[in-house]
Amino acid sequence: MKAEIIAIGNEIVTGNTVNSNASYIAKQIQTLGIIPKYHSAVCDTMQDIQEVLSKSLEHADMVFVTGGLGPTDDDLTKEAICGYLGMELVIKEDICQNIQAFFNKIGRYMPECNKKQAAFPRDAYILENKNGTAPGCILTKDKKHIILLPGPPKEMKPMLDGYVLPYFKEKLNCAYHTIDIKLFGIGESEMAERIAHLLGETEYVSVAPYVGDYEVIVRITAYGSNEKQAIETTEKIKNSVCECLGEYVIGYNQDTLENVILELMKKHQYTIATVESCTGGMIASTLVNCSGISAYFKEGFITYSNEAKKKYAGVLEETLITYGAVSEQTAKEMAEGIRLRTKADIGLSATGIAGPDGGTSEKPVGRVYIGIAFPDRTYVYELNLNGTRQVIREKTVKNLLFQLYRNLK
């Protein structure tokens, strides 16, 4: 079933409030095989609400509407939608009593205007609101479903999860499964070229590329008559994608580089130490995002000055004079030195020019060297990065962890 999500409210349209509800609803309804196809936002006017609803019902089987269920005169969602559908609103006394009980519970007087929140069509399926005064409802006409939900996320989310999803789960015979394949070290266009034969969308399967934070994602979504069928379909396509792009795969779904690295360190029982210049501690900070890293991460040093590089990592004065702090040779000595001095199995290093100043024609802003020292071999990589100072530093960390992951794997 195709769905549209409509946010009603001037504050949404003008950008004063971020529409987080749409993202949440879209993710949740997919678990039932309901496919979100369209998102809209509209002002609090009768005409605008009815116009967007009319268009939505032309191309969607289900319309999820958030906002405009409050007690004030500008809360017109029910009036506009029920007016368009030709459904009469009547005050339901039991709902009115529930609203009164809510006010009694918080020790406040219930204004007369709140009674409008108890007005619904006679055949509406009412959605209880345990976190506010605005109940929602499900309206059905001509085999189309219109779901009215309150705007505040703290009220909308429990209503959606507690009532709407169970309601439609009983009625729909469809299951959904999705897998995000996370890639690093390859651009979106090259990735799309390599798996062009797999990309695309049918009624039951979607394979699409997305760009994340310094990552490329291949999202596989499959719908089936049951969960097992949907999972089997996504797994089959995942295996095909990995056959084409396996060297760039860093994980799936909620995986992060640091988490998959931790799992590999556990497997091999490796310890690690870091020494950083341009990243200023970001490598160590990223690694310690992982719970359980304390058993494997020994020490971390920030050696911004040449004196610190010599003192803590054992970089030779001759190396710094001959090649400079930003060089392959210095990165190598930093990684090897910190590994030996901390008695770790792996030493990581980063030295470079993050900018916006300090670059030269020979060593421009964005030139970074990263080092990975193992007991039997040291790898050094030259990076030529672009972006702001912060972006260059973040890219350095990502590239270093990616190379560490590839070598550990």
Side-chain angles (χ1 to χ4, degrees), residues 332 335-337 339 344-348 371-375 377-379:
K332 181 175 185 292
E336 291 176 343
R339 189 188 74 79
D345 297 304
I346 303 169
L348 304 180
I372 305 172
F374 290 95
R377 187 171 181 179
T378 300
Y379 300 89

Side-chain angles (χ1 to χ4, degrees), residues 200-254:
E201 184 173 346
T202 66
E203 185 177 358
Y204 299 105
V205 177
S206 170
V207 183
Y210 298 88
V211 178
D213 291 336
Y214 312 122
E215 301 167 343
V216 179
I217 297 168
V218 178
R219 180 164 297 157
I220 306 165
T221 303
Y223 301 89
S225 58
N226 57 68
E227 186 177 19
K228 181 181 177 182
Q229 185 182 69
I231 291 173
E232 287 176 349
T233 301
T234 54
E235 286 293 328
K236 182 178 179 180
I237 299 172
K238 183 193 84 171
N239 292 337
S240 296
V241 171
C242 290
E243 285 179 9
C244 300
L245 302 169
E247 63 185 301
Y248 302 105
V249 175
I250 59 172
Y252 308 95
N253 298 331
Q254 302 306 313

Side-chain angles (χ1 to χ4, degrees), residues 157-174:
K157 292 179 180 180
M159 189 179 293
L160 180 77
D161 295 340
Y163 298 104
V164 178
L165 298 183
Y167 175 87
F168 285 109
K169 187 174 184 179
E170 291 185 2
K171 296 181 177 294
L172 302 177
N173 184 30
C174 189

